[in-house]
Amino acid sequence: GLLGLHRWYLKDVEGAREYFFSFGLCGVGWLWDAKRLPEMVEAYNDAARSAHTQRLVVANDPITAERFCDNTVTNTKYGKNLFETLLLFIPKNLAEQFSRHMNRYFLLIAMLQLNAYITPTNPWTTFGPLIVIFAVSAAREGFDDAARYRSDKTANMRLFSVAVDGELRQLPSKDIRVGNIVYLE
């Protein structure tokens, strides 16, 4: 993998750092790993299988539940709540916009037009359409993210019957934790 990403995946942190800072050992490591990758993956999978031979399930144990994440559904791109969304929307949206080659190309052209020695045209002839395209794309993404947020909120507030202390209680899905016994009808 590029810059040792395959070694991160295989939990070889030391090897991954080595590949990252040496660009795959200047390409020689990539060739070596291309030959050894199936063997490395098989060894990793064997170790993972042997580590999971016994499984212990503990029901309604709050200590076990704390070790795992909650059941909250989050599909929004720009943040989990309104504050986070307002804080991260513009930087993340601009990063997404400039991940497209066409937008980077037009930005480069617009920046070149700032120099009067290179071009006789007004730079706003390129900056104007670029800003309009970014604004329309950002507005669309904002509306889509708001719709995802509303959908997530509906999914997180859906009630389920959960056995707690020997009786069934109605809990929102976001409050269900690992180890809870859920009654399905």
Side-chain angles (χ1 to χ4, degrees):
L2 187 61
L3 301 177
L5 294 177
H6 63 289
R7 289 189 174 256
W8 284 106
Y9 176 77
L10 296 174
K11 308 287 191 256
D12 179 12
V13 177
E14 185 177 314
R17 282 189 197 129
E18 188 176 286
Y19 271 54
F20 182 78
F21 290 114
S22 67
F23 297 103
L25 300 175
C26 297
V28 175
W30 290 337
L31 295 174
W32 178 255
D33 278 357
K35 182 179 184 226
R36 291 191 52 232
L37 193 58
E39 173 187 325
M40 292 166 63
V41 170
E42 188 62 36
Y44 175 77
N45 289 340
D46 287 344
R49 274 189 225 108
S50 66
H52 297 291
T53 55
Q54 183 181 14
R55 186 171 187 174
L56 177 66
V57 178
V58 180
N60 289 331
D61 181 29
I63 296 170
T64 303
E66 287 176 9
R67 291 184 19 218
F68 299 96
C69 63
D70 62 359
N71 198 37
T72 304
V73 174
T74 306
N75 291 313
T76 56
K77 255 188 195 179
Y78 300 105
K80 294 179 183 177
N81 54 41
L82 182 63
F83 175 73
E84 202 175 304
T85 300
L86 292 175
L87 187 66
L88 298 176
F89 181 77
I90 291 175
K92 280 189 173 184
N93 188 268
L94 285 175
E96 183 180 335
Q97 294 293 334
F98 286 117
S99 70
R100 298 184 186 115
H101 296 299
M102 180 94 49
N103 290 344
R104 287 195 305 259
Y105 169 76
F106 280 115
L107 180 66
L108 175 69
I109 296 299
M111 292 181 78
L112 288 173
Q113 285 183 348
L114 290 173
N115 190 343
Y117 294 112
I118 296 175
T119 182
T121 61
N122 187 343
W124 286 106
T125 60
T126 304
F127 272 116
L130 193 63
I131 290 170
V132 168
I133 288 170
F134 282 3
V136 168
S137 296
R140 186 200 64 208
E141 284 291 326
F143 286 124
D144 289 348
D145 206 52
R148 283 191 290 268
Y149 175 77
R150 286 191 298 273
S151 173
D152 291 347
K153 193 170 185 178
T154 302
N156 288 328
M157 296 311 291
R158 184 173 174 208
L159 294 177
F160 286 92
S161 298
V162 178
V164 178
D165 297 328
E167 61 184 48
L168 288 178
R169 293 189 188 162
Q170 295 290 317
L171 289 179
S173 66
K174 67 178 183 158
D175 293 337
I176 296 174
R177 301 299 304 254
V178 170
N180 286 139
I181 299 172
V182 180
Y183 177 72
L184 300 175
E185 295 177 6

